[in-house]
Amino acid sequence: MSEKYVVTWDMFHMHARKLAERLLPASQWKGIVAVSRGGLFPAAVLARELGVRHVETVCIASYDHDQQSDLRVLHKAEIGDGTGWIVVDDLVDTGNTARAIREMYPQAKFVTVFAKPAGAELVDDYIIDIPQNTWIEQPWDMGITFVPPLSRK
Ligand SMILES: O=P(O)(O)OC[C@H]1O[C@H](OP(=O)(O)OP(=O)(O)O)[C@H](O)[C@@H]1O
Ligand SMILES: O=c1[nH]c(=O)c2nc[nH]c2[nH]1
Ligand SMILES: [Mg+2]
């Protein structure tokens, strides 16, 4: 990936809240399924904003840091075809994970915070468009580090 898009916790929280607003009224939902691990973060915000207490997971791994590998489903929430459920992930990139989710839960409302063009059409809603050649650096993958002053560079 040639570019980087750095996401702070504040920005992530703001975008996730905006996503929650678009999922009102909350009474239409039976619960939320987080696509673990990335989806756990927006799922917590959606659950809080929508007053949802029933939160499930579908556990999928497809990247070793930034290297894509075979998609592995480690755990699957038993929610039938997904009717009345929100399924949330942090982002859609190539769309591989999204395609697997669609197959598992065809009737669920599948949402993400970020979407790249190759996967954008596979989600029902998302907040921020990101170019395909850009790696999204999520706040849970970063830490605060010392930056030397300009005069010492
Ligand atoms: O559209 P795709 O190309 O499938 O990429 C999107 C998926 O990749 C990341 O998960 P990852 O497999 O890295 O696991 P993690 O959520 O545990 O970090 C991200 O959280 C999405 O679930
Ligand atoms: O942190 C991440 N940033 C990305 O851009 C991405 N694409 C797939 N998986 C990803 N994880
Ligand atoms: Mg993920």
Side-chain angles (χ1 to χ4, degrees):
M1 303 255 172
S2 52
E3 305 289 334
K4 256 188 187 176
Y5 181 88
V6 172
V7 183
T8 63
W9 282 112
D10 279 2
M11 291 308 288
F12 187 86
H13 195 183
M14 203 181 82
H15 299 326
R17 275 196 165 140
K18 196 165 164 190
L19 188 59
E21 232 177 280
R22 297 205 198 152
L23 292 163
L24 292 170
S27 56
Q28 69 188 299
W29 306 116
K30 294 177 185 160
I32 295 171
V33 178
V35 184
S36 179
R37 299 162 303 179
L40 293 166
F41 299 91
V45 178
L46 296 190
R48 190 268 179 182
E49 295 302 330
L50 300 174
V52 171
R53 302 273 176 179
H54 191 164
V55 180
E56 300 268 353
T57 59
V58 53
C59 303
I60 295 183
S62 63
Y63 282 82
D64 186 10
H65 186 51
D66 58 358
Q67 296 303 309
Q68 197 167 22
S69 61
D70 289 342
L71 191 142
R72 284 162 293 142
V73 180
L74 310 170
H75 169 78
K76 185 177 176 293
E78 294 303 332
I79 56 160
D81 64 5
T83 301
W85 287 80
I86 297 167
V87 179
V88 62
D89 205 348
D90 59 331
L91 63 94
V92 60
D93 188 327
T94 62
N96 274 357
T97 306
R99 268 184 286 272
I101 293 291
R102 282 271 176 238
E103 218 166 278
M104 281 187 253
Y105 311 120
Q107 297 304 318
K109 177 96 172 177
F110 181 44
V111 298
T112 62
V113 176
F114 302 99
K116 300 187 192 180
E121 285 190 353
L122 294 161
V123 292
D124 292 311
D125 201 6
Y126 65 91
I127 302 298
I128 304 288
D129 284 288
I130 302 289
Q132 199 65 44
N133 66 349
T134 301
W135 185 257
I136 303 163
E137 283 292 5
Q138 297 289 30
W140 50 89
D141 286 332
M142 293 184 291
I144 295 170
T145 57
F146 173 77
V147 177
L150 293 175
S151 61
R152 277 178 40 198
K153 279 187 178 164

